[in-house]
Amino acid sequence: MTAASLAATFNATSREFDTLTTQVWGPAGQSLAYALEFASGDAVLDVCCGTGASAIPAAAAVGPDGIVHAIDLADDLLEVGRAKATDRALRNIDFVLADATQWETPSTIPDAGYDALACSYGIFFLPDPEGNFARLVSLVRPGGRVGVTVWRKGAIEAFSRTYFEVIAAHSPPSEHSGPLAQDGYDKHPIRRMETVDLLGAWLRGAGAIDVRVVELANHAPATETFVWNLVLGSAMRGALTPFDDATRADIRAELSALLTERGIDSIDLGTLVATGVRAP
Ligand SMILES: C[S@@+](CC[C@H](N)C(=O)[O-])C[C@H]1O[C@@H](n2cnc3c(N)ncnc32)[C@H](O)[C@@H]1O
């Protein structure tokens, strides 16, 4: 997907995206923030920040002497993040519309670089995940910390296969190529980072040492409301683009029926949380 189509897809999710934060984005973002062991006063870069699932806990951790630059392509998600930060009276977080592949360290950050870099559920959307992330790691000072979260192998799989089967029954395969799409499933970048060993090697390849990867177990009951919010509030929404409202309503009903028929009553949201240190 191009930056423009990613921005369009994620801007379209803005109404439902944050309904998922409590059960989906939040646990991973909070875990990543803890795992990065921020210190008071740290300068943090959070890329692919969405509504701030990891960036807002980072801002709380680094305190008033710290700063978080939270960047994303989707301004409608950033706007939700800004409102959440205002609600929490956090003045040390800037939500900025920017492409992570182009970001340069502003002059307000010490020359050595950021103290930490975070990216939760974002690296597999970058056009060149390895190259783009290695460049972002280079914006962190030597000895600073870097961390990512990704879906663990098998997470959301039974659900997403069912969803894309329903989509396929309504149309020829779309060009949608999110990490969980049937089409191109085996070739998707997420396959290169979906186990503890793969993700550890991936982060070392991007320039990190002392890498630690832990698994965060998480399950959500597959209620009809949650399931549809998961579709509308994530990249899976992109596959609905060709359809009118009536067809979308049919897809929702058929998805719900097929999940019931298959006994899928819980969604596996298993996630890997990986951290390391930028090599000197
Ligand atoms: C699944 S969401 C995760 C958002 C957030 N980190 C969270 O965990 O809630 C992925 C985000 O990556 C953003 N994104 C994708 N490619 C990007 C890029 N090149 N630069 C900045 N943001 C990007 C999307 O706009 C989307 O908000």
Side-chain angles (χ1 to χ4, degrees), residues 193-270:
M193 51 185 83
E194 64 184 353
T195 68
V196 168
D197 288 347
L198 283 173
L199 184 60
W202 193 91
L203 204 52
R204 281 190 288 275
I209 56 172
D210 297 339
V211 170
R212 284 182 21 191
V213 186
V214 296
E215 182 175 340
L216 176 70
N218 189 14
H219 295 86
T223 63
E224 192 186 339
T225 303
F226 175 77
V227 155
W228 199 240
N229 280 339
L230 187 56
V231 168
L232 295 185
S234 73
M236 282 185 267
R237 182 187 191 112
L240 291 175
T241 307
F243 303 115
D244 59 21
D245 286 350
T247 312
R248 289 179 182 207
D250 290 345
I251 290 170
R252 176 179 179 158
E254 288 163 29
L255 174 62
S256 182
L258 201 50
L259 289 171
T260 303
E261 188 185 310
R262 293 181 176 176
I264 300 172
D265 56 8
S266 173
I267 311 282
D268 177 354
L269 300 167

Side-chain angles (χ1 to χ4, degrees), residues 1 6 9-10 13 17 25 125 163-164 176 178-179 230-239:
M1 284 171 103
L6 273 167
T9 297
F10 278 102
T13 68
F17 186 94
W25 318 123
F125 290 112
Y163 170 66
F164 285 107
H176 176 69
L230 187 56
V231 168
L232 295 185
S234 73
M236 282 185 267
R237 182 187 191 112

Side-chain angles (χ1 to χ4, degrees), residues 6 10 17 25 48-50 53 72-73 77 98-100 120-121 125-126:
L6 273 167
F10 278 102
F17 186 94
W25 318 123
C48 306
C49 67
D72 200 283
L73 290 171
L77 296 187
D99 187 332
S120 197
Y121 300 120
F125 290 112
L126 300 175

Side-chain angles (χ1 to χ4, degrees), residues 60-74:
V62 302
D65 295 333
I67 181 73
V68 177
H69 291 154
I71 70 165
D72 200 283
L73 290 171

